[in-house]
Amino acid sequence: MNEKIRVTDLHKSFFGKTVLNGANLSVREGEILCIIGKSGSGKSVILKHLMGILRPDSGDIVIDGISLVDAGELARIDLQSRFGILFQGAALFDSLSVYDNIAFGMRRRHVPEDEIAARIPGLLAMVGLRGIEDKMPSELSGGMQKRVGLARSIAVKPQVMLYDEPTTGVDPITAGSVDRLIIKMRNELGITSIVVTHDMKSVMRIADRVAMLLEGVIVFDGAPSELMAAADPRLRQFVEGRADGPIKVA
């Protein structure tokens, strides 16, 4: 697979506290990469750099061979348009119907209303929801809200999907359905996926490759089977969910 994204020697500090301390990461086109690590390790900070919300103190992010850090404004907007994101809480607009939530991104890109109307039923069908266009987010379960959030994200035809803790706050059955959707987006639409998660069951179900972030650097990068077989006590502690070990719990 071709390389889609490369993160090189990424550094970021906030108010004198180092969060990323030379992180290196590559993402191949069409793969599902899971980024794991304890809370506060900087996983979501990497996502925010990819989205362009944050700029690194130093280091580089290359997308399709183009540096996001060095790109001019128009090139940066073009690179960022290749990304979609599913936030941890779905982040739907409470005052908008399901239809208008999904239409939001398309309208910002000036997609004609007749095309929007034609596409929304298919987008809802793709995420396993039909006939709920007129419902409000408050009428939906947490799992349904996540599915609508995913439909909204893929409506703008992203090349890369970023998932921030997609199975947090849902029951195991819903978590499994979310995982199946992530795989479906890759298999049917060819979307490259980066999934930030603590859910090791989810990692084992969906990941082509796993990267573990610890103390601002990637300390493991490999297949899920390699992670499970790793002897590194830091990896063993995280995979087994033990409080005692080399990774200190705040």
Side-chain angles (χ1 to χ4, degrees), residues 47 51 83-87 149 152-153 160-164:
L47 295 190
M51 294 168 61
F83 288 82
I85 184 163
L86 181 64
F87 294 99
R152 181 179 63 185
S153 295
V160 181
M161 273 297 300
L162 308 176
Y163 298 89
D164 191 5

Side-chain angles (χ1 to χ4, degrees), residues 180-239:
R180 287 193 295 274
L181 282 173
I182 293 172
I183 295 171
K184 183 177 183 179
M185 296 304 104
R186 188 271 305 278
N187 291 348
E188 296 189 8
L189 302 179
I191 292 176
T192 302
S193 302
I194 303 174
V195 184
V196 162
T197 185
H198 294 101
D199 186 343
M200 290 307 301
K201 290 182 179 178
S202 177
V203 169
M204 298 309 295
R205 283 194 292 254
I206 68 175
D208 296 311
R209 197 157 50 88
V210 186
M212 181 168 174
L213 186 64
L214 180 65
E215 297 179 354
V217 296
I218 301 296
V219 297
F220 173 84
D221 185 340
S225 58
E226 294 173 318
L227 174 66
M228 299 307 290
D232 187 323
R234 300 170 300 178
L235 304 183
R236 296 260 48 83
Q237 180 188 354
F238 187 88
V239 168

Side-chain angles (χ1 to χ4, degrees), residues 12-43:
K12 187 67 178 181
S13 297
F14 298 97
F15 306 107
K17 180 182 178 182
T18 299
V19 177
L20 299 177
N21 194 27
N24 294 284
L25 189 65
S26 67
V27 187
R28 303 178 189 114
E29 189 170 358
E31 79 170 340
I32 299 174
L33 171 71
C34 288
I35 302 178
I36 62 173
K38 71 174 186 175
S39 297
S41 62
K43 304 182 300 297

Side-chain angles (χ1 to χ4, degrees), residues 8-231:
T8 304
D9 198 26
L10 204 64
H11 289 76
K12 187 67 178 181
S13 297
F14 298 97
F15 306 107
K17 180 182 178 182
T18 299
V19 177
L20 299 177
N21 194 27
N24 294 284
L25 189 65
S26 67
V27 187
R28 303 178 189 114
E29 189 170 358
E31 79 170 340
I32 299 174
L33 171 71
C34 288
I35 302 178
I36 62 173
K38 71 174 186 175
S39 297
S41 62
K43 304 182 300 297
S44 294
V45 173
I46 290 180
L47 295 190
K48 289 175 181 177
H49 278 86
L50 294 174
M51 294 168 61
I53 294 174
L54 295 175
R55 288 182 63 83
D57 297 333
S58 62
D60 200 7
I61 300 166
V62 175
I63 302 165
D64 292 328
I66 303 169
S67 170
L68 179 62
V69 175
D70 296 335
E73 183 177 0
L74 291 178
R76 189 162 57 249
I77 291 171
D78 175 63
L79 290 173
Q80 290 165 357
S81 73
R82 304 178 193 187
F83 288 82
I85 184 163
L86 181 64
F87 294 99
Q88 181 173 327
L92 300 180
F93 298 108
D94 293 339
S95 60
L96 298 181
S97 67
V98 166
Y99 183 99
D100 288 325
N101 263 284
I102 298 173
F104 184 82
M106 290 188 281
R107 286 172 175 155
R108 291 191 67 184
R109 299 187 183 199
H110 308 294
V111 176
E113 284 295 325
D114 58 347
E115 182 178 340
I116 292 174
R119 289 181 57 197
I120 284 179
L123 289 164
L124 283 170
M126 180 165 283
V127 299
L129 299 172
R130 296 177 185 270
I132 66 164
E133 286 89 338
D134 295 332
K135 289 188 177 294
M136 302 299 289
S138 60
E139 300 177 82
L140 307 178
S141 68
M144 292 173 73
Q145 289 185 26
K146 284 182 186 283
R147 287 168 177 259
V148 173
L150 181 54
R152 181 179 63 185
S153 295
I154 64 174
V156 295
K157 301 180 180 179
Q159 298 176 21
V160 181
M161 273 297 300
L162 308 176
Y163 298 89
D164 191 5
E165 299 286 357
T167 59
T168 295
V170 298
D171 62 83
I173 294 173
T174 301
S177 70
V178 171
D179 287 341
R180 287 193 295 274
L181 282 173
I182 293 172
I183 295 171
K184 183 177 183 179
M185 296 304 104
R186 188 271 305 278
N187 291 348
E188 296 189 8
L189 302 179
I191 292 176
T192 302
S193 302
I194 303 174
V195 184
V196 162
T197 185
H198 294 101
D199 186 343
M200 290 307 301
K201 290 182 179 178
S202 177
V203 169
M204 298 309 295
R205 283 194 292 254
I206 68 175
D208 296 311
R209 197 157 50 88
V210 186
M212 181 168 174
L213 186 64
L214 180 65
E215 297 179 354
V217 296
I218 301 296
V219 297
F220 173 84
D221 185 340
S225 58
E226 294 173 318
L227 174 66
M228 299 307 290

